[in-house]
Structures are given as structure tokens and as C-alpha cells.
Amino acid sequence: MVSGAHDAKTPPVVSLAAGGVAGGIEAFTSYPLEFAKTRVQLRSQKGIPTPRNPFLVVGQVYGKEGLRAVYKGCGALVVGSIAKDGVRFLFFDTIKHAFADPTTNMLTPLSNLLAGMTAGITASITAVTPTERIKTALIDDARTTKRFRSGLHATRTIWAEHGILGLYRGFAGTTLKQASATAFRLGTYNSLKDWQTQRAVPQNALTHFANGSVAGVVTTLATQPFDVIKTRSQSAVGASMLEAVKSVVADYGVRGFWKGTSMRLGRTVFSGGILFTSYEAAVKVIMPLYEGARGVDGNVWMGAYPVVHFFL
């Protein structure tokens, strides 16, 4: 059995469903920290200091604009996270088993990173870039022109003004971030779990949360510049990758590429623990339903469709 992000015998359809459930839970519970990080990374007025405490940012916005403002763009992120993490876990699992050593049924650290990188690129193309673009545009618009009424309205407006390329604004930065972030997040988690399995370390909710949190720290420190560039590219006005890089350097210098690190670190440590703990729990819940729906004749697709449709 291949140890790692989940059991080797977990069917792809269960990986997809469990990943979607975990992604939605993680996105919603950690959104205020994501909101604060995005606000800090967006371009601000000269001479006005930006708070480094994420709770201070959230508190200021809540006091001035209310709870709805704090959760502006949350719907887009949750929908995107359901699709993103469903795809990420599905592809990571598939690629992971293809790369696994036939003797030990485990991956080398490099293979873990390559599997995660491929899964991240796939997720960026299929789900992450457009939903991140809408989320970032909503947060930016809420502090400036306030012309977007909802995520759907923002999508329609951007589509009408810029076409599909408008929804894929910041694709290069987002894909770089997703490829590197998924490589480090899933790769680190899988490597930790392999190491623990070899040493008979019990795998429970506490272990999953701890491993996910460590993966979050590694991911944040390694990929923060890509996250800053992506945020600048996907503002309400939008910018090319080169323009985003230039604006960060002009505003803050090279140190600006790590703007919002402490806020993102707070989120990824928490969200990493939530994501993998939720994923492992979701697999345990969905797997028996899947096996029951599969039936005696082994017809997976007809039997499992209602179950998968319910969770997605």
C-alpha cells in the first residue's frame, strides 16, 4: 500500500469528492485571514501604513463596512477551492501511484514534489485562476469603486469587458504559485506521512493536522513571491505579470515580494491542518457510501454517481 496523502486503495472518484469537501471547509473557515492577506498585498495609497496584524485588518474592515465586507469574495474562493482541491487530490493520487517505487510503494521527496507540481498546474488551468481572479477583483473593488454587486456580477462584467482572457488575468503568476504551492504542500505532507508510516507513528486527526500545518509553513515561505505577483495581477483593474512585478518593486522594493507573509503564514498553518484533517475524515465517510453504491456487480459509475453528485 502506498502511504501518503491518502490510502492507495482510495478510488479516484472518492479522492475527487473528498478533496472537494475538504477544500470547501478549508476555504470557508480560513477566509478572514485570506481576506486580510489579499488586502495587504493590493496597492494602497502612498504614505498610509498597512497593518501587519491580520486580526487588526479584519477588525478595521468589520468596524467600517460590516461582516459582509470581510467575506467579500468568499463564495468565489469556496467554489474554486472545491474544484481546485478535488482536482489536486485526484491528480496527485494518480500521478503519485505512477511514480511510486514498485518495491517499497513509496515516493522519493523529488517524486513527491513533481507529483504535486503537476497536480497544481492542472488545478490552475481548470479552476484556480478564474475563481482567484473573481475573488481578488471583488476584494479590490470593495475598497475602491464598489461597482461589483456579487461574484456572478463581477464575472459577467469582466467577461463583457475583457472576454475569457479577463477571467484568466494573472494566469502565469497563479500557475507558478499553484505549481510550487501544491508541490510543497502535498509533497511535504506525503513525505511526512511516508516517514511516519515507516516508523509506525499512529495516523490520527492530531497527526494529520500537525503534518498539514508543517506543510503550510514550508509552502508559504517557499512560494510567497508568486502569491504577491498573482494578487497584483488580479486586482480589479488587472495587470500583466511584468507590470505586477514592477509595481511591487516600485512600492516596496524586493522585500515587497514577501508582503503579507505573516498573514498568509497564519492562514496556511491553520488551513493546512484543516484541509488534510478534513480530507482524511471525508474519505472515511465517503468510502463506505461508495462501496455500498458500487454494488455486488462492481458497477462503479452507475452506483456511485448519486453519492458523488451529493458531495460535489
Side-chain angles (χ1 to χ4, degrees), residues 31 35 39 58 60-74 138-139 142-143 146:
Y31 188 76
F35 171 86
R39 269 281 180 110
V58 172
Q60 288 179 347
V61 174
Y62 175 76
K64 294 178 180 178
E65 304 172 50
L67 185 61
R68 288 188 64 182
V70 174
Y71 273 87
K72 192 80 169 180
C74 181
L138 282 167
I139 293 175
R143 72 191 183 103
K146 295 182 171 61

Side-chain angles (χ1 to χ4, degrees), residues 1-89:
M1 181 184 299
V2 179
S3 64
H6 52 284
D7 191 281
K9 296 182 180 179
T10 304
V13 71
V14 176
S15 300
L16 181 67
V21 170
I25 293 172
E26 178 265 330
F28 183 79
T29 55
S30 65
Y31 188 76
L33 292 172
E34 172 69 15
F35 171 86
K37 181 269 300 180
T38 302
R39 269 281 180 110
V40 167
Q41 289 177 342
L42 287 165
R43 202 161 200 172
S44 58
Q45 296 179 353
K46 292 284 186 179
I48 299 179
T50 304
R52 293 187 177 183
N53 186 330
F55 299 102
L56 182 57
V57 175
V58 172
Q60 288 179 347
V61 174
Y62 175 76
K64 294 178 180 178
E65 304 172 50
L67 185 61
R68 288 188 64 182
V70 174
Y71 273 87
K72 192 80 169 180
C74 181
L77 184 65
V78 169
V79 170
S81 294
I82 290 173
K84 171 188 73 177
D85 286 304
V87 169
R88 286 202 301 190
F89 276 106

Side-chain angles (χ1 to χ4, degrees), residues 147-208:
R147 67 182 186 131
F148 296 147
R149 296 191 298 272
S150 64
L152 182 59
H153 180 247
T155 303
R156 289 174 175 170
T157 302
I158 293 172
W159 180 281
E161 294 177 353
H162 306 288
I164 191 170
L165 292 180
L167 295 176
Y168 274 84
R169 177 85 71 173
F171 173 73
T174 303
T175 302
L176 283 171
K177 178 203 168 186
Q178 284 301 312
S180 56
T182 306
F184 283 106
R185 175 173 268 196
L186 292 182
T188 300
Y189 182 87
N190 199 62
S191 295
L192 285 171
K193 193 170 181 182
D194 278 347
W195 184 85
Q196 291 166 348
T197 300
Q198 290 177 319
R199 290 158 180 77
V201 176
Q203 295 298 301
N204 50 42
L206 182 61
T207 309
H208 298 152

Side-chain angles (χ1 to χ4, degrees), residues 248-261:
V248 173
V249 174
D251 289 347
Y252 306 110
V254 176
R255 293 180 63 182
F257 290 108
W258 275 267
K259 194 77 172 173
T261 297

